[in-house]
């Protein structure tokens, strides 16, 4: 681990930080007010610290999570606050009871998805490196299992939604497919049996059992 | 202490076959001599409030006995909103309560400090307990939980939660949450089950090793799409509202975005603000979310709610110890549940890895205190031997321990080749606000659910019981709160209770200039008085 200090710019502030620091640690240590764009602080699962990063000498901007990205000399960083879209896709999972209707449901809730122009913006925007565009294609074509797998590790940072020129909201489409599949098909047999035992009153809990000295080992 | 290189050489030479040390003291002695609750800051009796005299962790006591952040003049003229149910906190417990209350027809306002879903829930990795196996039962779940908590829990709360387990899983599946199954057979197949430390049967259900992420993204979407729930992001609660009879009738929110206060009057208020890891008790790093600053605990105590087990905190055995800038980050108990061993600098095992968390954590602290730990770049810990696990179960990093592989990459460690250095990390607040089976507190109108509440986990929580706790009690509190939807609003709603509180502080000789709740950790560089330009505390004061 190196403690050499480097200089970079975060949210317009000149910041000096050790190379071991993440962007968010460097920003906080420099006195920057940290009341938004922050969440899990290093686990990379909440997506709140999404930011645009331009590295020294590069023209391309990349999308990163500030809690996971180490600082580099000459880096320029701007956080991306997410604003809720005015008309989000609206659906009620309870009304989706017929698995035969899944393709219609996808088209009805996410009508823009079939207009994907394959620009790859979502793929470049994803800080987790998921094949977002492929996932959209799978969902539209009805390959729901494949779509489910693509979005398995999605952290819902919404960067693909911000990037999409067709307003497809790929991460929400992926989540819709995942939710529909679980709600329609996941019926574990042991769980069903146990629920029957509990609901019929056959299984209860005896709280006095722990007061008996012998107990269960 | 043993330097990293020779310790690593010893570990590699042993090829996964380690002798077990035979000198483990009895559990009570081990905890007494090495657990941070025992050897950290000594518990102090609370000087004010309904629990005056009760022993409390000293840094938490200091927070509980603070003066309010605001006074009457600061909220004069503030916008007022009305709702049936106010839920404070946007994690799993808050979302479960909000969804259940809204499903019962109540209007719900959910306020959260950061964004909806920013919480410890989303960071939970290991899984959720529910006794579904034929070799398991709610009775066993109850007994395991009660014993792991050193018999300090409220038996009836634990029994109720254990019986709720299977229905909680069905509720989550109906909302669209996925769980790992054996043989990939969703319909009529079996859920994959893992054994948590301290359990007598495999009972952990999970989705990969990011169960909390899967749960939270489903709950968040369900809340965001529900027409009966209004979400206010970036709006921490800074005080509760009371009426002249001491009931809780809402809360004062601070809009971080607009730098102003909003008063929310409600028929019932559900506190789901989570825990306190970001207080970094006893100087420990934490696995907790940025927002875990004990705000709800402080507010609930100030308005008169009873607390319990406030001297008991959980230090998760396997936090990252090296590199220093990732210290405290969590390695899921799933790794040990799958079979990973803990090894000291002498190449020895020293504890059964699936003992309850307080035992394993204390055993690690003992190895380090007695010079058998491993030191690297000034950081101390013991080895978590992932490479041997990978040799035994090829592919486990790709399919099961995905988060672990992701974290190892950040540590610049190849987990298939090199062990991780681990040290306990502050993880969970075992105690909290005392509740009944529906989350109701001693204060009429105020309910608490999730980590802010107490009585379920006793003095030590088992893996997987936090995710069950938030769903089981979240749903019950939401349903109970919704029953009040036809009641009239209180005619008065203010912060009168803080004046009585200030008198108590003064009588006890406590300073009035220590303020709480903390809202953000100190490294957030946030000060409410200047951010809001409080009339009560700044010379110029007033609107921005």
């Amino acid at each position: 681990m190196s403690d050499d200090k480097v200089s970079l710019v975060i949210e317009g502030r000149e910041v000096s930080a050790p190379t071991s620091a993440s962007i968010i640690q460097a920003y906080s240590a420099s006195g920057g007010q940290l009341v938004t764009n922050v969440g899990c602080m290093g686990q990379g699962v909440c997506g709140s610290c999404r930011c645009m990063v331009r590295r020294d000498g590069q023209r391309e901007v990349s999308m990163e999570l500030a809690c996971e990205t180490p600082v580099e000399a000459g880096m320029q960083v701007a956080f991306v606050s997410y604003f809720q879209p005015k008309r989000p896709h609206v659906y009620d999972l309870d009304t989706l009871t017929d698995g035969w209707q899944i393709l219609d449901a996808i088209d009805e809730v996410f009508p823009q998805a079939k207009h994907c122009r394959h620009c790859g913006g979502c793929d470049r925007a994803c800080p987790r490196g998921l094949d977002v565009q492929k996932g959209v294609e799978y969902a539209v074509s009805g390959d729901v299992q494949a779509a489910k797998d693509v979005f398995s590790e999605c952290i819902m940072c919404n960067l693909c939604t911000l990037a999409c020129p067709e307003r497809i909201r790929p991460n929400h489409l992926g989540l819709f497919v995942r939710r529909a599949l679980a709600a329609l098909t996941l019926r574990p047999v042991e769980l069903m049996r146990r629920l029957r035992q509990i609901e019929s009153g056959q299984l209860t809990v005896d709280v006095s059992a722990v007061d008996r000295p012998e107990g269960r080992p | 202490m043993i330097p990293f290189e020779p310790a690593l050489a010893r570990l590699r030479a042993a090829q996964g076959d380690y002798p077990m040390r035979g000198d483990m003291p009895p559990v009570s002695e081990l905890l007494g001599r090495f657990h941070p609750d025992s050897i950290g800051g000594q518990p102090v009796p609370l000087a004010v409030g309904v629990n005056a005299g009760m022993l409390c962790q000293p840094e938490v006591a200091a927070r509980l006995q603070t003066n309010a952040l605001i006074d009457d003049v600061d909220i004069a003229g503030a916008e007022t909103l009305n709702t049936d149910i106010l839920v404070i906190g946007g994690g799993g417990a808050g979302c479960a309560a909000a969804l259940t209350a809204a499903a019962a027809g109540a209007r719900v306002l959910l306020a959260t400090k950061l964004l909806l879903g920013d919480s410890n829930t989303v960071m939970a990795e290991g899984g959720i307990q529910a006794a579904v196996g034929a070799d398991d039962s709610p009775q066993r779940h109850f007994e395991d939980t009660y014993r792991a908590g050193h018999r300090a829990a409220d038996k009836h709360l634990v029994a109720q939660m254990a019986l709720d387990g299977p229905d909680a899983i069905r509720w989550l599946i109906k909302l669209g949450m996925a769980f790992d199954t054996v043989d990939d057979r969703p319909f009529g197949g079996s859920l994959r089950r893992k054994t948590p430390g301290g359990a007598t049967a495999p009972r952990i259900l999970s989705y990969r090793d990011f169960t909390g992420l899967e749960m939270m993204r489903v709950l968040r979407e369900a809340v965001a799409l529900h027409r009966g729930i209004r979400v206010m992001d970036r709006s921490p609660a800074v005080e509760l509202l009371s009426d002249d009879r001491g009931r809780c009738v809402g809360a004062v929110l601070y809009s971080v975005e607009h730098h102003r206060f909003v008063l929310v009057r409600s028929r019932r208020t559900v506190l789901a603000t989570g825990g306190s890891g970001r207080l970094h008790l006893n100087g420990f790093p934490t696995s907790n979310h940025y927002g875990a600053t004990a705000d709800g605990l402080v507010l609930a105590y100030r308005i008169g709610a009873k607390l319990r087990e406030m001297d008991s905190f959980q230090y998760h055995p396997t936090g990252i110890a090296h590199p220093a800038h990732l210290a405290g980050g969590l390695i899921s108990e799933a790794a040990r549940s799958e079979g990973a061993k803990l090894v000291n600098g002498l190449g020895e095992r020293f504890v059964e890895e699936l003992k309850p968390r307080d035992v394993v954590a204390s055993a690690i602290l003992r190895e380090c205190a007695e010079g058998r730990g491993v030191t690297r770049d000034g950081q101390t810990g013991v080895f978590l031997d992932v490479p041997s696990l990978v040799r035994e179960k090829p592919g486990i990093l790709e399919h099961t321990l995905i988060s672990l592989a992701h974290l190892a990459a950040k540590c610049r460690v190849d987990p298939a080749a090199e062990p991780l250095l681990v040290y306990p990390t502050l993880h969970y607040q075992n105690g909290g606000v005392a509740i009944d089976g529906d989350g109701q507190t001693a204060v009429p109108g105020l309910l608490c659910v999730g980590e802010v509440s107490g009585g379920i986990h006793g003095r030590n929580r088992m893996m997987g019981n936090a995710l069950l706790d938030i769903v089981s009690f979240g749903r019950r509190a939401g349903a109970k709160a919704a029953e009040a939807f036809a009641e009239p609003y209180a005619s008065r709603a203010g912060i009168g209770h803080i004046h009585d509180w200030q008198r108590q502080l003064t009588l006890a000789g406590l300073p009035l200039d220590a303020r709480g709740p903390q809202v953000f950790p100190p490294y957030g560089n946030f000060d409410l008085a200047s951010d809001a330009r409080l009339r009560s505390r700044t010379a110029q004061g007033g609107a921005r």
Side-chain angles (χ1 to χ4, degrees):
Chain A
M1 187 177 69
S2 164
D3 272 346
D4 296 341
K5 288 216 165 186
V6 294
S7 293
L8 66 159
V9 176
I10 308 175
E11 291 286 280
R13 292 166 66 94
E14 279 278 355
V15 169
S16 171
T19 50
S20 60
S22 65
I23 291 171
I24 209 151
Q25 285 172 331
Y27 183 67
S28 154
S30 76
Q33 198 189 59
L34 205 53
V35 294
T36 187
N37 303 314
V38 58
C40 66
M41 285 294 269
Q43 203 170 310
V45 291
C46 77
S48 291
C49 63
R50 64 214 140 207
C51 59
M52 293 189 283
V53 174
R54 177 144 73 188
R55 291 182 168 78
D56 198 24
Q58 290 186 6
R59 297 177 67 180
E60 189 83 357
V61 167
S62 61
M63 310 307 295
E64 317 254 356
L65 297 177
C67 77
E68 293 201 304
T69 309
V71 296
E72 292 171 29
M75 223 178 209
Q76 288 175 286
V77 181
F79 289 109
V80 182
S81 288
Y82 182 69
F83 300 98
Q84 297 290 338
K86 279 211 179 83
R87 287 165 185 263
H89 52 283
V90 174
Y91 62 87
D92 180 359
L93 210 57
D94 287 340
T95 61
L96 182 64
T97 52
D98 179 3
W100 295 101
Q101 305 297 325
I102 185 83
L103 288 184
D104 294 338
I106 289 170
D107 193 37
E108 195 180 312
V109 182
F110 295 90
Q112 305 89 349
K114 57 183 174 290
H115 302 309
C116 172
R117 55 170 91 159
H118 304 282
C119 68
C122 50
D123 290 347
R124 283 199 300 280
C126 181
R128 298 289 282 214
L130 307 183
D131 290 328
V132 183
Q133 185 175 294
K134 199 82 191 155
V136 171
E137 200 180 310
Y138 285 141
V140 170
S141 69
D143 197 346
V144 287
Q145 280 292 347
K148 172 179 186 262
D149 292 342
V150 166
F151 290 100
S152 173
E153 289 174 49
C154 171
I155 58 171
M156 299 300 288
C157 70
N158 284 309
L159 282 172
C160 56
T161 283
L162 278 179
C164 182
E166 294 288 346
R167 303 180 173 218
I168 293 176
R169 304 190 179 103
N171 58 319
H172 294 279
L173 168 61
L175 185 55
F176 173 72
V177 170
R178 292 185 57 80
R179 293 181 68 196
L181 268 178
L184 286 173
T185 69
L186 188 53
R187 300 289 182 273
V189 62
E190 287 172 330
L191 176 61
M192 292 193 282
R193 277 195 212 120
R194 182 52 42 84
L195 282 163
R196 236 160 66 124
Q197 291 172 324
I198 292 174
E199 283 162 4
S200 67
Q202 198 185 328
L203 261 190
T204 53
V205 171
D206 171 17
V207 294
S208 69
V210 287
D211 300 329
R212 295 192 285 274
E214 71 279 17
R216 201 203 315 276
Chain B
M1 213 61 67
I2 297 148
F4 177 71
E5 294 299 340
L8 180 63
R10 256 184 222 119
L11 181 106
R12 288 199 164 134
Q15 283 287 312
D17 186 20
Y18 313 107
M20 174 69 93
R21 285 187 74 86
D23 61 349
M24 172 79 103
V27 166
S28 58
E29 187 190 330
L30 178 75
L31 297 181
R33 283 176 56 205
F34 298 101
H35 195 280
D37 283 347
S38 310
I39 61 163
Q42 288 306 296
V44 294
L46 290 170
V48 294
V50 290
N51 286 111
M54 182 183 80
L55 287 177
C56 178
Q57 203 281 345
E59 292 155 275
V60 173
R63 294 285 162 210
L64 289 174
Q65 302 183 138
T66 49
N67 190 6
L69 288 168
I70 54 170
D71 214 327
D72 282 324
V73 292
D74 300 314
I75 54 173
E79 179 191 3
T80 302
L81 303 174
N82 292 328
T83 183
D84 292 332
I85 312 295
L86 170 63
V87 176
I88 302 172
C95 287
L99 285 169
T100 311
R107 280 179 311 149
V108 179
L109 193 156
L110 188 154
T112 180
K113 176 155 59 181
L114 294 152
L115 300 178
L116 183 63
D118 283 346
S119 60
N120 281 334
T121 304
V122 79
M123 300 170 73
E125 298 185 337
I128 176 168
Q129 284 202 41
V132 300
D135 54 353
D136 196 9
S137 66
Q139 181 73 33
R140 270 179 186 270
H141 187 175
F142 160 71
E143 293 183 26
D144 290 347
T145 301
Y146 187 68
R147 291 207 173 93
H150 301 285
R151 299 172 172 268
D154 178 333
K155 269 181 265 187
H156 297 280
L157 295 183
V158 181
Q160 176 185 291
M161 180 177 80
L163 265 180
D164 275 354
D167 187 45
I169 303 302
R170 177 171 57 186
W171 185 74
L172 289 166
I173 291 173
K174 281 183 171 178
L175 283 172
M177 178 173 171
F179 288 91
D180 289 334
T181 52
V182 180
D183 300 334
D184 212 17
R185 270 200 315 174
F187 207 114
S190 294
L191 292 165
R192 187 163 187 269
R193 293 184 287 136
K194 293 180 289 195
T195 305
T200 57
R203 192 179 300 134
I204 294 280
L205 313 178
S206 55
Y207 183 74
R208 310 293 193 263
D209 65 345
F210 45 90
T211 313
L213 170 60
E214 169 68 3
M215 182 189 287
M216 196 66 245
R217 63 189 171 195
V218 164
L219 290 175
R220 183 205 285 120
E221 197 82 337
V223 166
L225 291 177
H226 203 296
R227 294 167 200 277
I229 305 171
R230 173 178 174 185
V231 176
M232 288 178 69
D233 287 320
R234 304 182 63 189
S235 301
V238 295
E239 195 55 67
L240 294 173
L241 290 173
S242 56
D243 71 0
D244 44 1
R245 290 192 283 158
R247 297 182 303 179
C248 176
V249 294
V252 182
L253 309 179
Y254 179 67
S255 168
V256 170
E257 193 171 347
H258 303 292
H259 306 276
R260 58 183 166 80
F261 297 103
V262 178
L263 308 188
V264 181
R265 293 170 72 211
S266 64
R267 295 183 163 95
R268 292 289 183 275
T269 302
V270 181
L271 270 182
T273 47
S276 48
R278 288 280 156 189
L279 300 184
H280 297 285
L281 306 179
N282 295 313
F284 269 77
T286 184
S287 58
N288 277 193
H289 188 269
Y290 185 73
T293 51
D295 298 0
L297 201 65
V298 170
L299 296 178
Y301 191 58
R302 191 178 289 157
I303 203 172
K306 272 192 189 137
L307 310 180
R308 53 183 295 168
E309 282 94 46
M310 285 318 302
D311 55 344
S312 175
F313 293 81
Q314 180 164 84
Y315 296 78
H316 192 290
T318 53
I320 279 289
H322 182 275
H325 70 281
L326 295 174
L330 192 66
I331 298 169
S332 167
E333 190 165 320
R336 281 174 289 132
S337 189
E338 293 287 350
K341 302 288 184 253
L342 292 166
V343 182
N344 68 16
L346 300 173
E348 303 164 323
R349 285 175 65 206
F350 49 90
V351 65
E352 293 292 341
E353 284 78 4
L354 287 180
K355 289 283 184 194
R357 283 177 174 172
D358 53 351
V359 173
V360 180
S362 299
I364 294 172
L365 292 168
R366 172 171 177 253
E367 293 306 296
C368 295
E370 295 182 350
R372 298 184 294 275
V374 179
T375 175
R376 184 179 194 185
D377 300 326
Q379 299 291 109
T380 300
V382 298
F383 286 133
L384 179 69
D385 181 18
V386 183
S388 298
L389 178 64
V390 174
R391 275 198 303 276
E392 253 173 61
K393 298 183 176 175
I396 193 168
L397 293 171
E398 290 77 20
H399 302 299
T400 312
L401 301 178
I402 298 163
S403 302
L404 186 150
H406 184 72
L407 178 60
K410 281 189 286 185
C411 296
R412 297 183 179 144
V413 165
D414 172 4
E418 199 178 297
L420 293 159
L421 198 61
V422 299
Y423 190 81
T425 180
L426 180 56
H427 189 58
Y428 194 80
Q429 172 185 301
N430 292 324
V433 181
I435 55 168
D436 70 7
D438 293 315
Q440 298 181 109
T441 70
V443 176
L446 181 67
L447 297 87
C448 285
V449 284
E451 193 169 344
V452 69
S453 70
I456 299 151
H457 308 291
R459 306 185 71 80
N460 176 61
R461 177 174 69 75
M462 290 175 85
M463 169 196 191
N465 269 346
L467 289 187
L468 177 57
D469 169 356
I470 60 178
V471 175
S472 165
F473 287 92
R475 291 175 67 199
R476 284 182 178 275
K480 189 73 194 172
E483 289 174 9
F485 80 97
E487 287 180 17
Y489 285 108
S491 55
R492 287 199 203 157
I495 54 174
H497 64 284
I498 72 166
H499 300 131
D500 177 51
W501 179 254
Q502 287 161 348
R503 273 192 294 279
Q504 290 187 54
L505 291 176
T506 306
L507 284 172
L510 290 162
L512 290 178
D513 57 352
R515 308 275 180 165
Q518 193 174 313
V519 189
F520 294 103
Y523 38 87
N525 307 308
F526 172 84
D527 172 51
L528 183 73
S530 57
D531 198 81
R533 300 189 59 178
L534 292 179
R535 297 182 183 112
S536 64
R537 284 157 63 192
T538 53
Q540 71 279 31
R544 275 173 100 87

